[in-house]
């Protein structure tokens, strides 16, 4: 009801509306999500909302009124745009030449009137009105709420799977239709903007929606806080989660068709202080069409990597932090070597993309099917190529190395900052040095950097600092001009559109094998690899800056830990 309930409770006690015992009893009672002590006092009839708001109005020297949307002049409504009225939760009730009077239900939001004065460029006066009347007036006076926030969307733009249709329609009511449409708009807009995931985050006083676009979170227009529970329930229904369970994390999946494109959403729900936070990761099946050239390799690195993935046996590792594109790279590798004369089996947690012609195994810890158990079983299936989603423990790593020594080509990922550190990581989790030296063929570290938008790409003369930095890390290469995006509608004014990888390929030769046998540290392995001609992540990135693919800022951001 208000943004400072403690203060209001003190006033109610002072003026004799409630007793301290009544407040204490309510505080000790079990509250539903989002309920406050003041809410329960009003709901149970201990005090009325009219009394509360009238008391607050008198305290602040404001007028307490009742709002009737039908009695408000349309010309007054035009003074306050829909997005402003919705954002601040106010209804304009009258206006003259230089002043507009707005009704609000939370007089404790001290900065609301000041913010409105700044946004509307007119003097603003406020009156207090009941919450329900303000909400009803907003819905009637500004009926295009969802379209204003997310843009118009035709009914055939999004189509959920048959399973979800049945689930949603069986319980849906006419009153649920706006929420169903709003969730569809959130999903559709994310897909239009090329987002990789959608974040629905309950905050204390608002409900935040953010999209991750090209690796960067971008704030979107927020739906009303009052729709938070309905939106989250709708997403949980779509992803086949338990709606009544709000105390423990849940996972689910959604299959939808947006603008004719089949998409999978991996959905994760986690309880937080102000409600359940839901993240929807968008798995676009069209990304499976990515080949190695689309990943961003320079020609020499691509030739090197193609030779590595054509080897008959050995272990190839892709390393990097979460969100660096490791899984996409592995799928691109499998897509290139997926031929009729080869049997490929993967062990994943979870299976993100379903690939034709490849046997994919989903880890299920509830029945004891973890990475190591699944890997032992699939090796009895006589595969040529095995892909392990991630090497996490000693047992899985040992089985992978032994599989490589018995004639299998094994792909997997590790979480390390650079490629040579993959060796150190394997030794740290308990793999014997002779196994690592004998089985490991190469490790490739990677990061993702944003591409300069092709539509607004423009050259500029680099500063002395930029030239110095570029030269110090690209072995004296001279560049007369660099490129950046000016910002346009295509890239949402960011100057970037899409992402490509920067890579560091660490190959194992006889000398490095001996160093591994001797348990040499990663710094020694890295020095030997540099002698062999390995480009570091930053050097690879700076070559791509010089070629006009990305910017110096992007490469520096992605390679902050690269000291070479």
């Amino acid at each position: 009801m208000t943004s400072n309930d403690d203060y209001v409770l003190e006033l109610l006690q002072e003026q004799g509306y409630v007793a301290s015992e009544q407040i204490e009893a309510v505080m000790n009672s079990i509250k539903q999500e989002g309920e406050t002590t003041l809410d329960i006092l009003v709901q149970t009839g201990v005090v009325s909302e009219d009394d509360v708001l009238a008391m607050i109005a008198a305290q602040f020297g404001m007028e307490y009124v009742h709002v009737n949307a039908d009695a408000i002049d349309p010309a007054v409504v035009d003074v306050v745009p829909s997005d402003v009225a919705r954002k601040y939760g106010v209804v304009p009730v009258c206006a003259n030449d230089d002043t507009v009077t707005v009704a609000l239900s939370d007089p404790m939001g001290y900065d609301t009137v000041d913010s409105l004065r700044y946004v509307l460029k007119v003097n603003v006066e406020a009156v207090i009105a009941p919450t329900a009347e303000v909400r009803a007036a907003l819905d009637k006076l500004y009926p295009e709420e969802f379209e204003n926030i997310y843009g118009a969307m035709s009914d055939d733009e999004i189509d959920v799977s048959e399973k979800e249709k049945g689930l949603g329609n069986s319980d849906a009511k006419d009153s649920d239709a706006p929420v169903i449409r709003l969730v569809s708009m959130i999903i559709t807009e994310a897909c239009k903007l090329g987002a990789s995931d959608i974040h629905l985050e309950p905050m204390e006083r608002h409900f935040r929606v953010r999209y991750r676009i090209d690796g960067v979170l971008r704030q979107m227009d927020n739906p009303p806080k009052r729709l938070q529970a309905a939106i989250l329930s709708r997403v949980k229904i779509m992803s086949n989660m338990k709606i009544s369970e709000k105390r423990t994390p849940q996972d689910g999946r959604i299959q939808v068709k947006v603008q004719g494109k089949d998409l999978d959403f991996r959905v994760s729900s986690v309880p937080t202080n102000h409600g359940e936070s839901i993240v929807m990761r968008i798995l676009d099946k069209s990304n499976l069409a990515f080949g190695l050239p689309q990943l961003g390799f320079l020609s020499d690195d691509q030739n090197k990597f193609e030779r590595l993935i054509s080897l008959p046996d050995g272990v190839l590792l892709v390393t990097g932090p979460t969100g660096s594109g490791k899984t996409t790279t592995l799928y691109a590798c499998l897509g290139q070597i997926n031929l009729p004369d080869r049997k490929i089996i993967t062990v994943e947690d979870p299976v993100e993309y379903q690939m034709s012609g490849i046997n994919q195994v989903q880890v299920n810890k509830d029945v004891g099917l973890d990475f190591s158990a699944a890997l032992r079983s699939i090796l009895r299936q006589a595969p040529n190529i095995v892909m392990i989603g991630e090497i996490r423990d000693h047992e899985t790593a040992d089985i992978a190395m032994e599989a490589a020594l018995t004639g299998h080509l094994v792909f997997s990922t590790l979480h390390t900052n650079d490629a040579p550190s993959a060796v150190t990581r394997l030794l740290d989790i308990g793999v014997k040095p002779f196994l690592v030296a004998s089985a490991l063929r190469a490790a490739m570290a990677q990061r993702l950097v944003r591409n300069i938008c092709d539509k607004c790409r423009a050259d500029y003369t680099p500063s002395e600092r930029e030239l110095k930095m570029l030269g110090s890390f690209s072995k004296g290469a001279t560049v007369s001009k660099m490129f950046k995006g000016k910002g346009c509608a295509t890239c949402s004014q960011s100057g970037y559109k899409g992402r490509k990888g920067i890579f560091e390929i660490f190959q194992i030769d006889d000398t490095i094998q001996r160093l591994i046998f001797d348990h040499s540290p990663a710094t020694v392995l890295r020095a030997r690899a540099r002698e062999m001609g390995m480009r570091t992540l930053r050097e690879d990135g700076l070559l791509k800056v010089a070629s006009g693919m990305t910017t110096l800022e992007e490469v520096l951001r992605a390679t902050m830990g690269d000291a070479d």
Side-chain angles (χ1 to χ4, degrees), residues 50-320:
D50 277 349
D51 287 340
V52 174
L53 293 178
M55 179 198 69
I56 297 173
Q59 188 73 20
F60 285 90
M62 300 171 69
E63 185 180 357
Y64 178 55
V65 303
H66 289 276
V67 175
N68 180 1
D70 294 331
I72 298 176
D73 187 342
V76 174
V77 177
D78 292 339
V79 174
V80 181
S82 173
D83 57 338
V84 174
R86 290 285 180 183
K87 180 177 180 179
Y88 295 100
V90 299
V91 174
V93 292
C94 63
N96 55 34
D97 292 339
D98 60 352
T99 302
V100 59
T101 301
V102 298
L104 49 84
S105 58
D106 181 8
M108 311 297 290
Y110 303 110
D111 59 349
T112 297
V113 173
D114 288 338
S115 298
L116 286 170
R117 287 173 181 151
Y118 176 79
V119 171
L120 298 176
K121 309 301 182 187
V122 297
N123 185 38
V124 177
E125 295 181 355
V127 295
I128 302 176
T131 304
E133 292 181 8
V134 171
R135 289 177 177 172
L138 280 171
D139 289 338
K140 190 160 189 176
L141 297 174
Y142 302 103
E144 302 300 319
E145 170 190 357
F146 299 154
E147 285 74 10
N148 286 339
I149 295 175
Y150 294 102
M153 181 191 74
S154 62
D155 293 334
D156 60 354
E157 277 191 290
I158 181 167
D159 182 27
V160 296
S161 67
E162 292 300 321
K163 178 180 178 181
E164 196 281 312
K165 281 180 181 176
L167 220 172
N169 290 343
S170 61
D171 298 325
K173 302 175 183 177
D174 290 341
S175 60
D176 296 331
V179 172
I180 293 173
R181 183 170 175 80
L182 176 55
V183 172
S184 297
M185 288 178 178
I186 291 173
I187 292 174
T188 301
E189 189 69 11
C191 296
K192 285 180 178 178
L193 294 174
S196 60
D197 40 63
I198 304 169
H199 295 252
L200 307 177
E201 301 168 314
M203 301 287 108
E204 183 178 4
R205 299 181 189 179
H206 64 281
F207 181 50
R208 183 166 69 181
V209 175
R210 294 193 291 176
Y211 298 157
R212 190 179 297 280
I213 301 172
D214 294 334
V216 178
L217 280 171
R218 188 177 300 174
Q219 176 87 37
M220 309 308 294
D221 292 327
N222 296 326
K225 176 71 172 176
R226 61 188 172 83
L227 294 182
Q228 172 182 310
I231 292 171
L232 297 180
S233 294
R234 172 60 181 167
V235 174
K236 291 172 73 173
I237 288 174
M238 294 175 69
S239 52
N240 203 24
M241 295 180 185
K242 295 180 181 178
I243 303 177
S244 59
E245 182 54 75
K246 300 179 180 179
R247 300 166 299 174
T248 60
Q250 296 188 71
D251 294 303
R253 292 188 81 112
I254 303 172
Q255 292 182 330
V256 298
K257 180 175 285 188
V258 180
Q259 297 177 306
K261 181 186 290 187
D262 290 323
L263 298 174
D264 284 343
F265 288 73
R266 196 173 78 197
V267 186
S268 172
S269 170
V270 174
T272 67
N273 286 343
H274 306 293
E276 292 174 281
S277 173
I278 289 183
V279 175
M280 307 166 66
R281 183 174 181 186
I282 304 173
L283 306 175
D284 187 349
K285 295 178 180 178
S286 65
N287 288 342
L288 294 180
F290 271 20
L292 295 182
Q294 286 73 44
L295 297 179
F297 284 107
L298 295 176
S299 58
D300 57 341
D301 273 353
Q302 182 174 328
N303 294 334
K304 188 185 302 181
F305 197 64
E306 286 178 346
R307 183 184 62 79
L308 289 170
I309 67 174
S310 65
L311 293 174
D313 55 34
V315 175
L316 300 178
L317 297 176
V318 180
T319 77

Side-chain angles (χ1 to χ4, degrees), residues 314-544:
V315 175
L316 300 178
L317 297 176
V318 180
T319 77
T322 300
S324 58
K326 300 187 299 294
T327 301
T328 300
T329 297
L330 288 182
Y331 277 125
C333 294
L334 295 183
Q336 180 144 333
I337 60 180
N338 182 16
L339 301 173
D341 61 344
R342 296 174 181 173
K343 183 177 180 69
I344 303 176
I345 304 181
T346 73
V347 185
E348 304 172 65
D349 183 22
V351 174
E352 294 192 359
Y353 298 100
Q354 296 180 3
M355 299 185 69
S356 175
I358 293 178
N359 303 278
Q360 295 173 273
V361 177
Q362 168 74 57
V363 168
N364 186 349
K365 295 180 181 178
D366 293 339
V367 297
L369 186 65
D370 56 14
F371 276 108
S372 57
L375 190 51
R376 280 194 300 268
S377 298
I378 67 175
L379 289 177
R380 293 194 287 270
Q381 296 277 312
N384 301 104
I385 299 164
V386 175
M387 192 270 272
I388 308 167
E390 182 183 349
I391 292 179
R392 300 176 179 174
D393 53 58
H394 170 232
E395 189 175 6
T396 303
D398 259 355
I399 297 171
M401 297 297 159
E402 290 169 0
L405 293 178
T406 55
H408 301 86
L409 182 60
V410 181
F411 294 93
S412 191
T413 68
L414 274 179
H415 287 282
T416 64
N417 290 329
D418 61 10
S421 294
V423 172
T424 307
R425 173 65 179 150
L426 291 172
L427 297 177
D428 286 344
I429 62 177
V431 183
K432 292 181 174 59
F434 81 87
L435 276 178
V436 177
S438 303
L440 187 63
R441 297 289 179 264
M444 182 178 75
Q446 70 175 63
R447 300 290 189 276
L448 293 177
V449 295
R450 292 182 290 174
N451 296 336
I452 298 172
C453 175
D454 289 335
K455 301 293 184 181
C456 59
R457 181 172 178 266
D459 61 73
Y460 73 98
T461 302
S463 66
E464 289 185 12
R465 175 181 171 275
E466 289 174 320
L467 286 173
K468 182 179 179 181
M469 189 169 292
L470 193 63
S472 65
F473 287 103
S474 58
K475 298 181 180 178
T478 56
V479 178
S480 59
K481 62 182 179 179
M482 294 166 65
F483 298 86
K484 62 182 177 181
K486 293 182 176 179
C488 64
T490 301
C491 61
S492 301
Q493 307 303 322
S494 68
Y496 298 98
K497 187 69 174 177
R499 290 188 293 174
K500 291 286 177 66
I502 57 176
F503 306 95
E504 176 179 284
I505 301 177
F506 170 65
Q507 296 184 88
I508 309 299
D509 68 350
D510 293 340
T511 302
I512 290 178
Q513 279 187 330
R514 287 193 296 272
L515 292 173
I516 295 173
F517 274 124
D518 296 336
H519 218 129
S520 299
T523 52
V524 175
L525 300 177
R526 187 176 183 83
R528 170 57 186 165
R530 296 299 306 279
E531 291 173 4
M532 294 169 55
M534 181 187 80
R535 271 200 303 268
T536 66
L537 285 166
R538 180 163 288 186
E539 288 171 348
D540 191 54
L542 291 173
L543 286 175
K544 290 167 182 175

Side-chain angles (χ1 to χ4, degrees), residues 39-51:
D39 291 334
I40 296 178
L41 289 172
V42 172
Q43 291 168 13
T44 55
V46 175
V47 64
S48 70
E49 184 182 15
D50 277 349
D51 287 340

